[in-house]
Protein backbone atom coordinates (compact mmCIF):
# COMPACT_ATOMS: atom_id res chain seq x y z
CA UNK A 1 0.00 0.00 0.00
CA UNK A 2 2.80 2.44 0.84
CA UNK A 3 4.40 1.85 -2.54
CA UNK A 4 1.07 2.64 -4.18
CA UNK A 5 0.64 5.85 -2.18
CA UNK A 6 4.18 7.02 -3.02
CA UNK A 7 3.55 6.57 -6.74
CA UNK A 8 0.55 8.89 -6.77
CA UNK A 9 -0.25 10.92 -8.79
CA UNK A 10 0.22 8.37 -11.51
CA UNK A 11 2.12 9.26 -14.64
CA UNK A 12 0.32 6.89 -17.04
CA UNK A 13 -3.05 8.68 -17.57
CA UNK A 14 -2.91 10.48 -20.90
CA UNK A 15 -5.92 12.74 -20.38
CA UNK A 16 -5.23 16.47 -20.34
CA UNK A 17 -7.69 16.63 -17.42
CA UNK A 18 -5.28 14.66 -15.22
CA UNK A 19 -2.29 16.77 -14.19
CA UNK A 20 1.09 15.08 -13.77
CA UNK A 21 3.32 15.51 -10.70
CA UNK A 22 5.30 18.38 -12.23
CA UNK A 23 2.03 20.23 -12.92
CA UNK A 24 0.99 20.13 -9.26
CA UNK A 25 2.22 22.01 -6.22
CA UNK A 26 2.82 21.30 -2.55
CA UNK A 27 2.45 23.13 0.74
CA UNK A 28 4.53 22.72 3.88
CA UNK A 29 4.02 24.26 7.30
CA UNK A 30 3.92 23.86 11.04
CA UNK A 31 0.85 24.20 13.26
CA UNK A 32 0.79 24.70 17.00
CA UNK A 33 -1.99 25.09 19.57
CA UNK A 34 -2.16 27.97 22.03
CA UNK A 35 -5.03 27.78 24.50
CA UNK A 36 -4.85 30.43 27.20
CA UNK A 37 -6.86 28.27 29.62
CA UNK A 38 -4.67 25.16 29.39
CA UNK A 39 -1.56 24.71 31.48
CA UNK A 40 -0.71 21.45 29.71
CA UNK A 41 -1.34 20.68 26.05
CA UNK A 42 -0.09 23.84 24.36
CA UNK A 43 2.62 23.40 21.77
CA UNK A 44 2.79 21.43 18.53
CA UNK A 45 -0.53 20.38 17.01
CA UNK A 46 0.42 16.72 17.25
CA UNK A 47 -1.11 14.60 14.49
CA UNK A 48 -3.50 17.38 13.42
CA UNK A 49 -5.49 16.88 10.23
CA UNK A 50 -4.58 19.67 7.82
CA UNK A 51 -6.13 20.30 4.44
CA UNK A 52 -6.59 22.63 1.52
CA UNK A 53 -10.12 23.25 0.25
CA UNK A 54 -12.11 25.94 -1.52
CA UNK A 55 -12.19 29.31 0.24
CA UNK A 56 -14.96 29.70 2.77
CA UNK A 57 -15.60 30.14 6.47
CA UNK A 58 -14.09 28.19 9.37
CA UNK A 59 -15.35 24.62 9.06
CA UNK A 60 -16.93 25.16 5.63
CA UNK A 61 -14.74 22.39 4.18
CA UNK A 62 -17.05 19.89 5.89
CA UNK A 63 -19.92 20.84 3.59
CA UNK A 64 -18.01 21.24 0.31
CA UNK A 65 -18.97 18.17 -1.65
CA UNK A 66 -19.22 19.45 -5.21
CA UNK A 67 -17.27 22.70 -5.15
CA UNK A 68 -13.70 21.52 -5.73
CA UNK A 69 -11.03 19.06 -4.74
CA UNK A 70 -9.71 18.85 -1.20
CA UNK A 71 -6.18 17.80 -0.29
CA UNK A 72 -5.52 16.50 3.23
CA UNK A 73 -2.66 15.15 5.28
CA UNK A 74 -1.83 14.50 8.91
CA UNK A 75 0.84 16.46 10.75
CA UNK A 76 3.60 14.63 12.58
CA UNK A 77 4.26 14.76 16.34
CA UNK A 78 5.91 18.18 15.95
CA UNK A 79 2.95 19.67 14.07
CA UNK A 80 4.79 19.70 10.74
CA UNK A 81 2.67 18.90 7.69
CA UNK A 82 3.34 18.42 3.98
CA UNK A 83 0.46 18.45 1.48
CA UNK A 84 1.68 17.18 -1.87
CA UNK A 85 0.26 16.78 -5.37
CA UNK A 86 -2.15 19.73 -5.05
CA UNK A 87 -3.85 21.01 -8.17
CA UNK A 88 -2.96 24.65 -8.95
CA UNK A 89 -5.49 27.09 -7.53
CA UNK A 90 -6.48 29.27 -4.62
CA UNK A 91 -7.36 27.49 -1.38
CA UNK A 92 -7.96 28.05 2.30
CA UNK A 93 -6.00 25.95 4.77
CA UNK A 94 -8.19 24.22 7.35
CA UNK A 95 -7.32 22.00 10.29
CA UNK A 96 -8.70 20.17 13.27
CA UNK A 97 -6.62 18.82 16.12
CA UNK A 98 -7.29 15.66 18.12
CA UNK A 99 -8.42 16.59 21.62
CA UNK A 100 -8.92 20.29 20.82
CA UNK A 101 -12.38 21.79 20.37
CA UNK A 102 -13.10 23.75 17.21
CA UNK A 103 -11.73 24.15 13.70
CA UNK A 104 -8.75 26.17 12.52
CA UNK A 105 -8.56 28.22 9.33
CA UNK A 106 -5.47 30.11 8.16
CA UNK A 107 -6.49 33.75 7.71
CA UNK A 108 -4.81 34.15 4.29
CA UNK A 109 -5.60 32.26 1.14
CA UNK A 110 -2.97 29.87 -0.24
CA UNK A 111 -2.15 30.06 -3.95
CA UNK A 112 -0.70 26.79 -5.20
CA UNK A 113 1.43 26.80 -8.34
CA UNK A 114 2.98 23.84 -10.16
CA UNK A 115 6.31 22.51 -8.85
CA UNK A 116 7.99 23.50 -12.13
CA UNK A 117 7.10 27.15 -11.53
CA UNK A 118 8.06 27.37 -7.87
CA UNK A 119 9.18 25.15 -5.05
CA UNK A 120 7.15 24.02 -2.07
CA UNK A 121 4.97 26.78 -0.70
CA UNK A 122 6.24 27.30 2.83
CA UNK A 123 3.73 28.85 5.17
CA UNK A 124 4.67 30.92 8.20
CA UNK A 125 4.30 29.26 11.59
CA UNK A 126 0.58 28.78 12.20
CA UNK A 127 -1.05 29.05 15.63
CA UNK A 128 -4.50 27.63 16.40
CA UNK A 129 -6.23 29.46 19.25
CA UNK A 130 -9.31 27.36 20.07
CA UNK A 131 -12.58 29.29 20.45
CA UNK A 132 -13.39 29.71 24.15
CA UNK A 133 -15.45 31.92 26.40
CA UNK A 134 -13.70 30.74 29.56
CA UNK A 135 -12.57 27.63 31.38
CA UNK A 136 -14.20 24.32 30.51
CA UNK A 137 -16.30 23.30 33.49
CA UNK A 138 -17.69 20.08 32.10
CA UNK A 139 -17.22 18.21 28.85
CA UNK A 140 -18.98 15.26 27.27
CA UNK A 141 -16.63 13.18 25.15
CA UNK A 142 -13.20 13.95 23.77
CA UNK A 143 -13.11 16.33 20.78
CA UNK A 144 -11.67 13.76 18.37
CA UNK A 145 -14.56 13.35 15.88
CA UNK A 146 -15.32 9.83 17.06
CA UNK A 147 -17.58 8.21 19.63
CA UNK A 148 -15.10 5.56 20.69
CA UNK A 149 -15.42 6.33 24.42
CA UNK A 150 -19.22 5.86 24.45
CA UNK A 151 -20.66 2.51 25.41
CA UNK A 152 -22.78 0.80 22.79
CA UNK A 153 -24.68 -2.16 24.27
CA UNK A 154 -24.68 -5.51 22.51
CA UNK A 155 -27.38 -6.03 19.94
CA UNK A 156 -30.54 -7.13 21.74
CA UNK A 157 -32.99 -8.81 19.36
CA UNK A 158 -35.98 -7.74 21.44
CA UNK A 159 -35.18 -4.09 20.61
CA UNK A 160 -34.81 -4.54 16.84
CA UNK A 161 -37.43 -3.08 14.49
Amino acid sequence: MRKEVRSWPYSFPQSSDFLKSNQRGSVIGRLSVKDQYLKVGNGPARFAHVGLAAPGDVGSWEFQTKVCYQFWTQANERGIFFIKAVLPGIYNLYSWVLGVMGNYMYESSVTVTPVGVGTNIKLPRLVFKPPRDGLTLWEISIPDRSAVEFYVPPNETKYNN
Side-chain angles (χ1 to χ4, degrees):
M1 180 67 175
R2 290 178 191 217
K3 181 181 176 186
E4 193 71 25
V5 170
R6 281 193 303 269
S7 66
W8 192 86
Y10 303 116
S11 58
F12 61 81
Q14 298 304 311
S15 171
S16 60
D17 295 328
F18 187 84
L19 299 181
K20 308 285 191 266
S21 294
N22 64 351
Q23 297 171 306
R24 296 170 181 251
S26 57
V27 176
I28 189 168
R30 184 175 193 165
L31 180 65
S32 60
V33 176
K34 184 175 183 182
D35 188 336
Q36 64 180 344
Y37 294 101
L38 288 181
K39 293 181 180 164
V40 178
N42 286 319
R46 300 180 72 228
F47 309 110
H49 295 265
V50 183
L52 295 171
D57 296 324
V58 175
S60 65
W61 62 269
E62 298 179 68
F63 306 104
Q64 296 173 2
T65 56
K66 298 180 181 178
V67 178
C68 74
Y69 291 102
Q70 294 187 9
F71 301 90
W72 288 85
T73 192
Q74 193 168 12
N76 66 16
E77 66 278 351
R78 296 183 304 167
I80 297 171
F81 60 88
F82 180 62
I83 306 172
K84 64 177 192 163
V86 180
L87 292 174
I90 298 172
Y91 299 92
N92 275 359
L93 185 127
Y94 302 95
S95 180
W96 60 274
V97 183
L98 295 171
V100 178
M101 186 63 75
N103 288 301
Y104 171 77
M105 184 180 88
Y106 180 47
E107 58 275 353
S108 300
S109 58
V110 178
T111 303
V112 176
T113 56
V115 174
V117 175
T119 58
N120 296 334
I121 296 168
K122 187 170 182 178
L123 299 176
R125 189 161 189 154
L126 309 173
V127 179
F128 175 28
K129 296 178 182 173
R132 285 188 176 264
D133 291 324
L135 286 168
T136 301
L137 300 176
W138 184 60
E139 184 174 73
I140 298 175
S141 182
I142 300 166
D144 64 357
R145 297 181 186 246
S146 79
V148 72
E149 68 273 6
F150 291 102
Y151 174 72
V152 178
N155 189 5
E156 293 286 336
T157 56
K158 65 182 176 183
Y159 299 123
N160 288 347
N161 288 333

